[in-house]
Amino acid sequence: MAIKVTPAGTAQRLDRLWHSFPVVRRWMQVASASWGIAFLIDAIARVVMAYTLPIDSVPSLGALVLVVLLGMAQALVTVHGRRSGALALIRNRG
């Protein structure tokens, strides 16, 4: 998905790095898993909130939960990318 939503030059570099550097493949796998887990937890939390909380509080609390989970997922992806060196490779500094 990242290749489809990035500019052409970056997409070509990502494709080349994917095939050449296992660290980039691992980072992309961690990123995909992190985002997937965040959305799964969000879905479960929304079902639990819908059945246990007053109906008026669910939309705003659901938005807050989503923002927190996405922030945590992005932080994990960024930290892993920096520590592994994958982000430096993608930014053409590695």
Side-chain angles (χ1 to χ4, degrees), residues 3-4 11 19 29 32 62 67-68 72 82 86 92:
I3 289 175
K4 293 182 186 253
H19 293 292
Q29 291 166 345
S32 296
V67 167
V68 168
M72 290 172 57
R82 286 183 180 158
N92 209 13

Side-chain angles (χ1 to χ4, degrees), residues 45-85:
R46 286 174 186 265
V47 169
V48 170
M49 288 186 297
Y51 281 103
T52 59
L53 297 175
I55 194 73
D56 291 340
S57 64
V58 173
S60 57
L61 187 57
L64 178 65
V65 168
L66 180 62
V67 167
V68 168
L69 287 169
L70 293 181
M72 290 172 57
Q74 184 60 41
L76 175 70
V77 169
T78 302
V79 167
H80 182 266
R82 286 183 180 158
R83 287 186 178 171
S84 68

